Amino acid sequence: MVYQAPYQAKRVGKFSVVLYDMCFFVAITLGVIIAVSGNKDSDVDVIWVGVFIGMFVWIFGLVAAVLLSKGRVNGISEKIWCIAGWHGPDMIRRMVNKEYEPEWEPGHARDEIRALLRFDMISAPFGFLIKYIIPGVLLLLVGLHLARTLRSPTTDMQWSGICWVS
């Protein structure tokens, strides 16, 4: 279980976890669709509109999930971490980093600084990048390539006789 959804559901409730995950998926997808819908490649304003709409939906989903959460967690910051945290990547970091230092645990300042300064250990930004940055960048790259391909089809796409652009 890399995603650790059962762990999250036990702590803040299944509805909050599903609500946040769906809002995050809608936010990233809607943001990319809006960002690539510009008329030309230099249409930077549309990209920023997509980014801000995606961020709004994401933050709305996080706030709603925190407010509707039920479970064993009491503090706001702990609820946010249980809902939006990168528990799966932290599990991977724990397994890898314990090979080099058996007492290593994520979240402890001393251990995190040690992981940040050593090249053979995985540091804290790994989880944030895996959960939030990389999926958005990859989806944006696929969307930009698809939009560019559909606007100006190459000879590779004309073999089937389908007119891709009217």
Side-chain angles (χ1 to χ4, degrees), residues 20-34:
Y20 175 75
D21 290 344
M22 289 298 116
C23 285
F24 178 69
F25 175 76
V26 168
I28 196 169
T29 305
L30 184 64
V32 168
I33 289 171
I34 292 170

Side-chain angles (χ1 to χ4, degrees), residues 13-151:
K14 185 176 182 179
F15 180 75
S16 291
V17 174
V18 171
L19 175 67
Y20 175 75
D21 290 344
M22 289 298 116
C23 285
F24 178 69
F25 175 76
V26 168
I28 196 169
T29 305
L30 184 64
V32 168
I33 289 171
I34 292 170
V36 301
S37 68
N39 292 331
K40 51 188 179 261
D41 290 337
S42 63
D43 207 354
V44 177
D45 294 339
V46 175
I47 292 173
W48 286 111
V49 169
V51 167
F52 287 121
I53 288 175
M55 288 180 70
F56 175 77
V57 172
W58 176 43
I59 291 171
F60 173 79
L62 178 61
V63 170
V66 168
L67 292 176
L68 296 172
S69 66
K70 297 174 183 156
R72 299 184 287 172
V73 179
N74 292 327
I76 294 288
S77 63
E78 197 172 341
K79 283 183 182 181
I80 291 172
W81 175 250
C82 282
I83 293 169
W86 41 88
H87 308 288
D90 267 355
M91 182 182 69
I92 294 170
R93 290 177 55 223
R94 183 180 293 117
M95 288 185 331
V96 170
N97 291 346
K98 280 189 179 245
E99 291 292 321
Y100 299 103
E101 293 204 18
E103 296 86 29
W104 190 91
E105 283 295 321
H108 295 114
R110 177 184 53 87
D111 293 336
E112 292 293 353
I113 291 171
R114 192 174 306 144
L116 187 63
L117 297 176
R118 290 182 55 178
F119 68 91
D120 58 349
M121 296 178 79
I122 301 174
S123 61
F126 172 77
F128 181 76
L129 291 171
I130 291 291
K131 186 165 183 179
Y132 293 110
I133 302 299
I134 292 173
V137 169
L138 290 177
L139 191 60
L140 182 62
L141 290 174
V142 168
L144 287 171
H145 178 72
L146 184 63
R148 185 173 293 129
T149 302
L150 291 177
R151 284 194 195 112

